[in-house]
Amino acid sequence: MHKYHSMKIKIFNTLTKKKEIFQPANEDCVNMYVCGPTVYSNPHIGNARAALIPDILFRLLKKRYRKVNYIRNITDVDDKIMDAAKSEKKTVFEISKKYTKIYQQNMSVLGLLEPTFQPKVTDNIPIIIETINKIIDGGFTYIADNHVLFDTEKFPDYGKFSNRTLDEMIDGVRIEIASYKKSPRDFVLWKPSDKEQPGWDSPWGYGRPGWHIECTSMVKKIIGMDNILDIHGGGNDLIFPHHENEIAQGFCATNTKYCNYWFHNGIVLVNKKKMSKSLGNVILINDLIKKISPMTIRLALMSAHYRQPLNWSASTIDESINLIKKFEKIFNDNSSINNSEDECDELVDILSDDLNTPEAMTYLSSVSKKAKANRHDKKAFISSCNFLGFDFKNDNKPVKETLIDEVVIKELINERNLARKNKDFDKADKIRQKLNQMDIEIEDLADRTVWKIK
Ligand SMILES: [Zn+2]
């Protein structure tokens, strides 16, 4: 039988600004929600860190509790996706489908466990409308210019979570100043769509949800309207306004506290600079896994404490490459004891103190040195690697382009087949040439087209 640890997990709670012992509302089922990707472009290392930290916490919670629901949403309707659709000449659905696949594939290559639930906004419009209705019934909204807006004036606790003054809020990021708002900090729950934009019928006309309401609604759909969420996570850039707004919505829809523990991870810097398109220093997972092995990336992302910024530099990569080489060798030298399940108590203790991954790496390094000498340390090392999601059984090499671009290849083949069907042989030829340049060879069979790497 599986042995459950009795250790206490301590986590820094953004709500109380203190490190606290985690106590779930119901020991039989722990609920954790993390804001997932808006699927309009390829994920970068910042996105990977924001998914890896909850992955470690998920593994830890599963050691301690029988049932853990880990929910990570997919924002598949958003203005950014609409912009990407325009520039890639695709539909919003095609864009969101493509980047959802790439995101999930990237995360899986990095050894992340699949969340228990991955709800999409477009599958959850009815619960979003229901949640907005509850907030309206409580008297916390107003309608202006066909928008349903949350009236922050009506919720006295607004701003307490992020601890900001009105001026700081207005100067803050991602606040939209609009003439129809009573106060700049009010935010949209539902907005109108025109015929070309994605939309759904609602009591407030044809339109689409605002960003913040989707998370609150999907949480409630899965855990139940009147239940309190145990843990909510995300990047610390989401504290305001996104999480401040989620708290306001959650409370006003149900008249109960929304979530007990909030955790936030720090930013990833590249050579001490913020990643940005204009600086041209955005590091995409798709590019990175062609150069260094996925497990090296995984280790590098754990090298800093999750609440601190992580600086991505040549030395971060070099140190991780050296360490992972050592780990991999010892792991494979001892592959006969790979099945030793539960010998990672020391590691679990270290991580239970606010997910101290740098300390966990120090421990892993020291136990790897002792592993040659005795069986206990050997078992502890193998078991700890397994717990942390270091998979050395598969070929731990940089990933070939074709493996990762499978989605793109399949799409090109579909496009080519469509062109052939429409007798647009010029276009079909061009697509074949493009695949050729990607080192992909295709063969047309009677009923389908197959491809292989040249
Ligand atoms: Zn969210």
Side-chain angles (χ1 to χ4, degrees):
M1 240 190 69
H2 188 82
K3 186 181 113 208
Y4 287 95
H5 285 244
S6 57
M7 84 287 179
K8 301 218 183 302
I9 298 173
K10 283 188 223 148
I11 185 111
F12 185 89
N13 189 353
T14 314
L15 193 64
T16 56
K17 278 101 192 152
K18 277 197 292 253
K19 192 153 81 173
E20 292 180 335
I21 292 171
F22 172 66
Q23 180 57 51
N26 174 2
E27 294 254 349
D28 294 329
C29 179
V30 177
N31 290 305
M32 169 166 84
Y33 183 93
V34 170
C35 296
T38 301
V39 280
Y40 70 101
S41 63
N42 287 303
H44 53 65
I45 46 172
N47 303 125
R49 189 185 196 199
L52 178 69
I53 300 306
D55 181 69
I56 304 288
L57 183 53
F58 182 38
R59 288 165 191 268
L60 196 59
L61 290 166
K62 288 208 298 180
K63 273 265 178 253
R64 173 71 177 81
Y65 300 99
R66 202 163 293 118
K67 190 169 175 219
V68 183
N69 286 327
Y70 169 26
I71 312 159
R72 187 181 67 207
N73 73 307
I74 291 164
T75 300
D76 62 347
V77 58
D78 185 272
D79 290 3
K80 283 185 199 139
I81 305 173
M82 285 152 62
D83 293 344
K86 222 173 249 169
S87 67
E88 290 192 31
K89 294 197 175 63
K90 297 250 168 72
T91 64
V92 167
F93 176 70
E94 285 168 334
I95 292 292
S96 63
K97 199 177 149 198
K98 173 181 162 186
Y99 289 111
T100 300
K101 270 197 180 166
I102 294 175
Y103 180 85
Q104 288 170 336
Q105 208 174 27
N106 281 182
M107 296 310 131
S108 146
V109 167
L110 294 180
L112 272 74
L113 300 174
E114 229 179 89
T116 327
F117 298 96
Q118 297 189 69
K120 291 182 186 132
V121 178
T122 54
D123 290 336
N124 284 283
I125 301 299
I127 184 74
I128 292 174
I129 291 175
E130 187 189 326
T131 311
I132 296 175
N133 264 329
K134 283 181 184 288
I135 301 170
I136 292 175
D137 289 347
F140 297 101
T141 62
Y142 60 97
I143 292 182
D145 210 6
N146 294 319
H147 292 67
V148 181
L149 288 132
F150 187 96
D151 191 344
T152 52
E153 201 62 41
K154 299 262 172 70
F155 182 55
D157 281 352
Y158 191 82
K160 270 194 185 159
F161 178 64
S162 55
N163 203 13
R164 287 180 193 221
T165 65
L166 182 60
D167 282 347
E168 283 168 335
M169 287 186 219
I170 294 165
D171 290 339
V173 278
R174 291 171 105 164
I175 264 225
E176 202 189 340
I177 308 279
S179 57
Y180 50 79
K181 286 184 182 178
K182 284 204 268 183
S183 156
R185 59 182 208 172
D186 296 349
F187 55 92
V188 171
L189 299 175
W190 188 267
K191 59 182 155 189
S193 293
D194 64 33
K195 277 180 201 148
E196 275 80 53
Q197 292 171 326
W200 293 263
D201 289 326
S202 81
W204 321 287
Y206 182 74
R208 58 192 194 276
W211 172 38
H212 315 294
I213 192 67
E214 64 174 72
C215 289
T216 306
S217 306
M218 290 188 283
V219 164
K220 292 299 184 186
K221 166 97 178 276
I222 291 166
I223 73 164
M225 199 50 94
D226 295 318
N227 288 328
I228 301 177
L229 184 63
D230 291 307
I231 306 175
H232 194 313
N236 61 10
D237 55 329
L238 297 181
I239 294 174
F240 184 83
H242 186 51
H243 291 162
E244 185 80 57
N245 293 354
E246 271 192 55
I247 288 172
Q249 294 165 155
F251 181 83
C252 295
T254 61
N255 207 27
T256 37
K257 191 178 178 186
Y258 178 57
C259 173
N260 284 326
Y261 300 86
W262 289 80
F263 77 92
H264 291 94
N265 66 272
I267 194 173
V268 177
L269 300 168
V270 175
N271 296 318
K272 297 192 176 161
K273 287 200 181 81
K274 233 175 146 168
M275 272 189 284
S276 77
K277 268 192 184 159
S278 56
L279 284 176
N281 62 350
V282 180
I283 299 178
L284 302 178
I285 301 302
N286 263 354
D287 296 332
L288 197 59
I289 51 184
K290 289 168 199 161
K291 294 177 195 130
I292 56 177
S293 79
M295 291 305 119
T296 307
I297 303 169
R298 191 172 172 92
L299 188 140
L301 288 171
M302 287 186 215
S303 62
H305 191 273
Y306 78 95
R307 285 196 277 131
Q308 301 300 320
L310 169 68
N311 187 37
W312 195 269
S313 67
S315 72
T316 317
I317 298 169
D318 287 346
E319 281 162 27
S320 302
I321 288 175
N322 288 334
L323 211 50
I324 215 82
K325 265 188 196 154
K326 280 181 205 155
F327 290 172
E328 191 177 4
K329 183 167 187 324
I330 298 162
F331 190 95
N332 288 326
D333 286 351
N334 295 288
S335 54
S336 57
I337 47 167
N338 270 1
N339 289 329
S340 52
E341 258 265 321
D342 231 343
E343 297 287 335
C344 56
D345 287 10
E346 279 174 81
L347 177 86
V348 165
D349 278 348
I350 291 165
L351 290 171
S352 295
D353 186 9
D354 200 24
L355 295 181
N356 196 342
T357 55
E359 191 61 40
M361 291 307 115
T362 307
Y363 164 77
L364 206 57
S365 198
S366 92
V367 82
S368 76
K369 282 173 198 147
K370 293 187 280 180
K372 281 181 199 133
N374 71 74
R375 191 165 173 84
H376 171 77
D377 288 322
K378 245 177 225 172
K379 276 179 146 184
F381 173 74
I382 299 281
S383 177
S384 299
C385 283
N386 285 334
F387 177 83
L388 284 165
F390 288 129
D391 179 4
F392 300 121
K393 279 165 264 170
N394 293 319
D395 191 17
N396 188 35
K397 301 244 163 60
V399 177
K400 282 216 177 91
E401 176 156 12
T402 42
L403 183 74
I404 270 320
D405 293 338
E406 204 180 304
V407 183
V408 179
I409 292 163
K410 281 188 181 154
E411 247 176 38
L412 283 170
I413 289 174
N414 287 342
E415 229 176 282
R416 177 174 165 271
N417 286 342
L418 192 71
R420 285 167 74 215
K421 212 173 129 193
N422 296 332
K423 309 224 180 301
D424 187 351
F425 298 111
D426 203 37
K427 189 177 175 187
D429 268 354
K430 274 192 187 134
I431 297 172
R432 184 194 272 270
Q433 276 164 23
K434 194 171 170 188
L435 285 162
N436 229 335
Q437 284 160 5
M438 289 163 72
D439 280 334
I440 300 300
E441 201 172 274
I442 54 172
E443 189 189 345
D444 294 314
L445 305 177
D447 59 336
R448 70 205 145 95
T449 305
V450 292
W451 62 272
K452 63 176 187 200
I453 311 154
K454 279 204 268 186

